[in-house]
Amino acid sequence: MRLILTVGTRPEIIKMAPIYEIMDRVKEIEVLLVHTGQHYDWEMSEVFFKDLGVPEPDVELGVGSGSQLAQTSGVIDKMERVLRSYEPDGVLSVGDTNSVLGTAIASSKMEIPFIHVESGLRSYDFTMPEEINRRIADHLASINFSPTLGAFSNLLEEGYPAERVFLSGNTIVDAVMKVQELVSRSNILRELGISEDELLMTVTVHRKENTDYEHRMLGILKAIKELDDLTIVWPLHPRTLKRLKEYDLLRDLKTMDHVILTDPLGYLDFLKLLSSSHVVATDSGGVQEESATLRVPCVILRNNTERPELIELGIGRIAGTNPASIISSVRDFVYNEKMRTKLEKLPNPYGDGTAAKVIVDVLRRTWDLRAIRHESPYFRGGSPHYIAFKVPENLVGITVARFQEITGYEVVSIYNASGKAVFFDLSKPFSRGEVVRVRGDPYNFQKVVKLMRERR
C-alpha cells in the first residue's frame, strides 16, 4: 500500500508524527511525506520535525503565505503533480487547514481515496475558514477518523455512511504522551527567569478572526494588563506580531512588567511551559486539546469552539475577547482550589494515546483502498436516503412521533435557525424556523407534501 501523508502547519506535524512513526515500521505500507509549506516560516516547522523525531519531508511544495484562495489553489495545483508521479493508493491529511482542503480536492478530482484524520469537528461558524475546510474535507473523504464521540456523531447526522467513519481518539494525545520524558528536561522556565512557585499563565493567539480585528486584540490586551497578579508568557506568532505592530499595541504590551514575550517555541519547550501553567488562554484548537491532556484549565479566546468536550467537562470556558469574561474565567480557574482539584481527576476526552494505532490498523485491514472510493452510493452525487426541509407554518407544533407515524420517515436530526443541532425525543414538537432532516425513500416524499397540505 502506497500512501501520501501531508502536513502544512505545526499542529498538523504534531498530529501526524505518531501516525508516521507507526507506518514507518509497517512493511506493507510505503509512505511519502509531503510538506505543503503553508507555514511560510520553515524554521517554525523544522523544529517541530526534530522535536517529534520525524524525518524531513520527502517533498516540499512551498505554497507559502497568501490569501485563503491562493493557498488552497496552490496546494491543488502542486499536489496534482505529486499524485501523478507517485500514484498512491490513498492520501492522508489531518486537521482543517487550507492545505487539507486543497489536498482533499486534488485527491478526489484524481479519484484517489482521501483519508481525513480529525474529522467531524463542528463550530457552526462559517466565518471561520477552518469550518468550511473541515466540512468539505469530511465529505470528500473515503474514510474519516473522528477524535471524539461527538465528532463521530456529527458525521452520522450529516449522512456520512457509518462503515466509513471510525472513532479513533486524537493523535495529539499520542504525541504529548510520547515526549513527556523529553519535556521534563526542558529548561525553558529557567531561561525565561520563571520560578516554580509563580502563578503562571500561557497565552497564544494566532487565528485570523482575532488578529485581523484591532478591537479584539485590544480586548485581549486589556485583560492581560489587568491580570498583573500572574506571570504571563506569550509566544508571539508571526501574524500576531505583525498585527500588534500595525495597531501600535506592541509598545503597550512591552511595558507590562508581568508579561514575558517570546518568539514561537519548539514543541518540547511549549509543552513544558503549558504543563507548568495554572491556566492557558488561547484561540488555538490544538492547544485546547493539549490543555485537556495535561489537565491545564483553558480559557478560549473565541466565541465558539469545535471542541465542546472541554466545556462539558468544565476544563474550558468560552470567554471571547471580552476583557471582563477573560479576567473572571482566568481568576476562577487559578484561585478556585475545589475546581482545580476536580479538573485533575477528569478523564481525557481525546483518548488514551492509542489513536495512531487505531488509524493504522484500520488502513491495514482495508487492503484495497481504491475499491472503496465509489463503492457507496454516498459518493455518487450524494445520499438518496436523506431529505432536509424547513418546518412550514402548518407543521409547527406537530410532534416527532406523529410526523413519523403519518409519513413513514424517520427524523434523524433537527437544527435550530442558527444551524445548531437540537436534542429531541419522540414527544418534541416542531418549532418555527427549524430544519428537520429525515431518512427514508426519496420517491415517497409526496407523503410529506400531502401532510403539509392536510394541515393547512
Side-chain angles (χ1 to χ4, degrees):
M1 181 185 297
R2 293 161 61 88
L3 293 177
I4 289 179
L5 309 184
T6 72
V7 294
T9 64
R10 288 183 295 167
E12 292 172 14
I13 297 168
I14 296 166
K15 295 176 181 182
M16 188 67 79
I19 300 172
Y20 180 90
E21 182 182 15
I22 294 179
M23 285 187 176
D24 194 46
R25 300 197 302 260
V26 177
K27 293 181 179 179
E28 61 264 38
I29 299 180
E30 179 183 326
V31 174
L32 185 79
L33 185 60
V34 175
H35 190 285
T36 66
Q38 180 174 331
H39 237 171
Y40 48 87
D41 187 338
W42 166 245
E43 291 182 359
M44 289 180 64
S45 292
E46 185 179 26
V47 68
F48 276 60
F49 279 101
K50 293 178 179 177
D51 284 350
L52 292 160
V54 178
E56 290 191 6
D58 300 298
V59 178
E60 295 177 30
L61 301 185
V63 171
S65 60
S67 68
Q68 299 282 326
L69 292 176
Q71 284 188 329
T72 305
S73 60
V75 172
I76 294 172
D77 178 57
K78 295 185 177 183
M79 273 301 298
E80 178 184 7
R81 305 170 202 175
V82 177
L83 294 172
R84 290 193 185 281
S85 62
Y86 190 68
E87 296 182 346
D89 297 299
V91 181
L92 185 149
S93 298
V94 54
D96 51 22
T97 63
N98 297 327
S99 292
V100 173
L101 175 59
T103 300
I105 293 173
S107 303
S108 301
K109 289 291 187 180
M110 297 184 67
E111 298 191 348
I112 297 171
F114 175 67
I115 302 153
H116 192 202
V117 175
E118 199 180 70
S119 64
L121 304 185
R122 297 291 181 266
S123 69
Y124 302 99
D125 181 357
F126 283 96
T127 65
M128 293 178 60
E130 295 85 358
E131 180 73 2
I132 298 169
N133 295 347
R134 67 174 70 103
R135 283 178 177 257
I136 296 174
D138 285 348
H139 287 275
L140 287 178
S142 296
I143 297 179
N144 274 321
F145 291 99
S146 294
T148 64
L149 184 59
F152 179 90
S153 301
N154 287 339
L155 289 176
L156 297 187
E157 284 192 357
E158 293 170 11
Y160 195 90
E163 65 272 18
R164 295 288 178 262
V165 57
F166 298 88
L167 181 59
S168 62
N170 198 311
T171 58
I172 204 165
V173 182
D174 305 34
V176 171
M177 293 175 66
K178 174 190 173 184
V179 299
Q180 278 304 293
E181 184 178 346
L182 296 174
V183 169
S184 65
R185 303 175 193 170
S186 169
N187 294 317
I188 188 63
L189 297 183
R190 186 169 61 191
E191 292 173 8
L192 297 176
I194 298 172
S195 62
E196 293 185 0
D197 60 347
E198 292 184 51
L199 293 177
L200 182 61
M201 171 177 167
T202 297
V203 174
T204 76
V205 179
H206 77 282
R207 286 189 179 270
K208 179 177 180 291
E209 58 264 35
N210 280 335
T211 60
D212 287 6
Y213 295 91
E214 182 177 356
H215 69 280
R216 293 179 181 172
M217 295 301 296
L218 186 59
I220 294 172
L221 263 64
K222 284 183 177 179
I224 288 175
K225 185 175 183 178
E226 183 72 21
L227 291 165
D228 57 2
D229 47 332
L230 308 176
T231 297
I232 298 176
V233 180
W234 187 349
L236 286 173
H237 187 282
R239 179 195 296 126
T240 310
L241 178 60
K242 179 181 178 182
R243 291 292 186 263
L244 287 171
K245 290 178 179 177
E246 289 177 0
Y247 304 146
D248 198 24
L249 295 175
L250 186 61
R251 187 185 308 118
D252 293 339
L253 190 57
K254 287 183 175 180
T255 64
M256 302 178 192
D257 295 335
H258 64 295
V259 177
I260 301 172
L261 302 177
T262 75
D263 293 330
L265 300 176
Y267 195 50
L268 303 181
D269 285 341
F270 179 76
L271 286 185
K272 177 66 175 181
L273 176 65
L274 182 59
S275 62
S276 303
S277 296
H278 291 73
V279 65
V280 59
T282 184
D283 61 6
S284 164
V287 174
Q288 291 177 50
E289 296 159 347
E290 289 158 343
S291 71
T293 303
L294 296 170
R295 302 297 191 277
V296 177
C298 182
V299 176
I300 301 168
L301 303 177
R302 290 164 46 190
N303 294 322
N304 53 59
T305 179
E306 61 283 347
R307 294 165 173 85
E309 297 82 13
L310 274 77
I311 312 302
E312 294 163 2
L313 287 173
I315 199 169
R317 289 187 182 177
I318 293 176
T321 57
N322 181 285
S325 296
I326 296 172
I327 293 167
S328 63
S329 297
V330 166
R331 287 193 169 143
D332 204 13
F333 278 133
V334 171
Y335 294 111
N336 189 329
E337 288 299 327
K338 289 184 179 180
M339 178 179 291
R340 293 187 60 81
T341 302
K342 176 184 176 182
L343 296 183
E344 291 171 359
K345 299 177 181 179
L346 291 175
N348 187 347
Y350 301 112
D352 58 3
T354 60
K357 184 180 184 302
V358 171
I359 291 167
V360 175
D361 284 349
V362 169
L363 295 178
R364 292 176 71 181
R365 293 197 304 268
T366 310
W367 63 274
D368 188 357
L369 282 176
R370 287 183 177 270
I372 69 171
R373 181 63 183 90
H374 293 294
E375 185 177 285
S376 168
Y378 290 84
F379 297 109
R380 290 199 288 267
S383 167
H385 304 294
Y386 291 85
I387 299 168
F389 63 91
K390 188 172 184 179
V391 174
E393 195 66 30
N394 53 305
L395 284 188
V396 172
I398 189 173
T399 65
V400 170
R402 180 59 176 156
F403 175 86
Q404 293 185 162
E405 177 186 354
I406 296 175
T407 65
Y409 280 85
E410 178 190 1
V411 176
V412 294
S413 52
I414 300 175
Y415 302 91
N416 63 22
S418 299
K420 294 187 177 181
V422 176
F423 173 80
F424 69 94
D425 56 23
L426 293 177
S427 64
K428 182 200 176 331
F430 290 165
S431 299
R432 187 173 289 101
E434 289 180 334
V435 173
V436 179
R437 195 156 172 272
V438 298
R439 176 167 50 213
D441 185 349
Y443 299 107
N444 288 330
F445 194 65
Q446 57 265 29
K447 290 182 180 179
V448 176
V449 176
K450 182 180 178 182
L451 173 66
M452 294 176 181
R453 289 173 179 168
E454 289 176 350
R455 290 183 60 87
R456 282 178 182 170

